[in-house]
Amino acid sequence: MGSDTSEVALDLFPYLKVYKDGTLERIAGVEVVPPGLDPQTNVLSKDILIVPQTGVSARIYRPNFVIKDQKLPFVVYFHGGAFCVASPAFPDYHNSLNKLVAEANIVALSVDYRLVPEHPLPTAYQDSWAALQWVASHKEEDGHHHEGWIKDYVDLDQVFLVGDSAGANIAHHLAFRIKESDLGQSFKILGIGMIHPYFWGTNPIGSETADGLRKELVDKWWLYVCPSDKGCDDPFINPFVDGSPDLAGLACHGILVIVAEKDILRDRGRFYYDKLVKSGWRGKAEIMENESEDHVFHIFNPDCDKAKSLMKRLAAFLNQGSGKGIVE
């Protein structure tokens, strides 16, 4: 057992281990399930290649029965996993997307962005941006690369970004990138759903000050996926350091921030919401707190009452655009 293969150089609990010979072993998020018809929710899914140049794919979901000519809101979803584990095919994510599509009566695209360490950051952001560009291309008339489910079932004036943990972080950064790009001229994001967003910082705030153990754990995760001289104050993970864009510039009309009471990331989510409200941003900000729950509990325990109420709240947020509109 004394060989380099069995000696752990880095234990990035609970996600992965790196051995001294350079071998990587992912512990979490490795299982996969195929797409298809989910009998419980009556939601249909399939895997599609969306960026042939890089091989980035996605899993797209829709209700099995859609009223003829009815166009549905569209969610571009980014999964969590600290940028280094999981995929849309991970059973818990696949199950969660089926439930969200059924609850909200939407079409959703779950992006399979590439992971650290094989693809260092900012690859995950670039892949997610490429996926958004691909979605936006469906607004153009030339349809030979268009996905039929988007063309037939989606209202491209009702596009939302939704993500949990690292995925919520990605959604935040994409909303700024849209504003700064040509894409923002023709393609609008109606809202962003941020579930237990993964933001952080070098100096502890709130409950982080009393939980040195978990603070150290989260520090370790980020320093592994983004080794830089900025550490945990890199603008990718800390949206309030000098040089970060002003939240007033977020390119969307509504944001729902969901935090969990026992989550070490909770106070970062609350801080984000407070900053957003005070920023002069002209959209509608909402916050929901899941009492007595920890990080992404709804992914791992989707049938508990609190997970169901989270899904109902998120579904209501995604359906605001269908009625009187989400714009203030």
Side-chain angles (χ1 to χ4, degrees):
M1 278 296 284
S3 73
D4 280 351
T5 315
S6 63
E7 281 191 62
V8 176
L10 176 71
D11 186 352
L12 204 70
F13 179 84
Y15 299 116
L16 54 82
K17 287 179 181 176
V18 183
Y19 293 89
K20 285 197 173 165
D21 68 349
T23 310
L24 178 78
E25 182 193 5
R26 284 191 171 86
I27 297 156
V30 290
E31 301 90 346
V32 295
V33 288
L37 179 63
D38 178 56
Q40 264 193 310
T41 56
N42 205 22
V43 168
L44 204 54
S45 59
K46 63 179 178 178
D47 290 336
I48 52 176
L49 181 67
I50 55 175
V51 190
Q53 302 89 320
T54 55
V56 172
S57 65
R59 184 164 288 190
I60 190 167
Y61 298 79
R62 69 168 175 87
N64 193 22
F65 298 112
V66 181
I67 298 164
K68 188 172 165 49
D69 298 328
Q70 184 187 17
K71 299 286 188 175
L72 304 176
F74 188 55
V75 163
V76 184
Y77 190 89
F78 307 100
H79 68 80
F83 296 98
C84 59
V85 298
S87 73
F90 181 56
D92 293 337
Y93 277 119
H94 180 65
N95 182 33
S96 186
L97 266 289
N98 280 325
K99 286 179 182 297
L100 179 60
V101 168
E103 181 69 47
N105 194 36
I106 55 168
V107 177
L109 183 84
S110 183
V111 179
D112 195 10
Y113 56 85
R114 290 171 292 173
L115 302 174
V116 173
E118 296 90 341
H119 304 280
L121 291 181
T123 303
Y125 297 102
Q126 291 163 344
D127 288 350
S128 301
W129 175 247
L132 211 51
Q133 289 177 303
W134 176 82
V135 170
S137 74
H138 288 73
K139 290 202 96 166
E140 298 158 12
E141 289 304 313
D142 175 22
H144 63 286
H145 291 309
H146 288 184
E147 163 55 45
W149 287 11
I150 295 179
K151 197 164 58 89
D152 295 342
Y153 304 116
V154 164
D155 178 356
L156 282 169
D157 291 322
Q158 287 194 65
V159 177
F160 293 82
L161 307 181
V162 178
D164 67 280
S165 197
N169 173 307
I170 289 172
H172 159 85
H173 286 287
L174 293 188
F176 282 113
R177 193 157 175 185
I178 291 167
K179 184 109 175 175
E180 294 156 8
S181 77
D182 295 340
L183 203 64
Q185 306 305 309
S186 60
F187 184 67
K188 305 288 183 229
I189 298 297
L190 203 54
I192 304 176
M194 294 186 171
I195 308 167
H196 310 160
Y198 183 24
F199 297 124
W200 202 237
T202 303
N203 297 321
I205 64 168
S207 61
E208 298 161 19
T209 55
D211 195 344
L213 200 64
R214 284 209 293 176
K215 168 84 171 86
E216 199 179 315
L217 206 58
V218 183
D219 285 349
K220 196 173 170 184
W221 298 342
W222 180 253
L223 297 174
Y224 174 73
V225 301
C226 190
S228 82
D229 56 353
K230 295 170 188 158
C232 292
D233 281 335
D234 189 292
F236 278 134
I237 194 70
N238 187 344
F240 305 114
V241 288
D242 290 346
S244 291
D246 187 340
L247 290 184
L250 277 168
C252 65
H253 295 301
I255 292 185
L256 171 62
V257 180
I258 301 177
V259 296
E261 185 184 7
K262 292 183 175 177
D263 186 1
I264 187 68
L265 302 180
R266 177 197 68 189
D267 291 309
R268 298 285 168 176
R270 283 178 174 167
F271 190 56
Y272 184 94
Y273 171 80
D274 291 340
K275 284 274 200 182
L276 184 62
V277 169
K278 292 168 186 164
S279 69
W281 176 67
R282 295 180 60 197
K284 181 187 177 191
E286 303 173 51
I287 189 163
M288 174 190 197
E289 179 159 337
N290 313 123
E291 291 175 11
S292 310
E293 296 293 350
D294 210 328
H295 194 60
V296 299
F297 74 96
H298 68 296
I299 299 289
F300 301 112
N301 189 12
D303 296 317
C304 71
D305 288 344
K306 284 175 184 161
K308 288 175 183 173
S309 72
L310 185 158
M311 280 295 187
K312 282 192 188 324
R313 180 71 182 269
L314 183 56
F317 175 74
L318 300 173
N319 283 300
Q320 287 183 67
S322 331
K324 57 188 181 196
I326 202 172
V327 187
E328 79 283 10

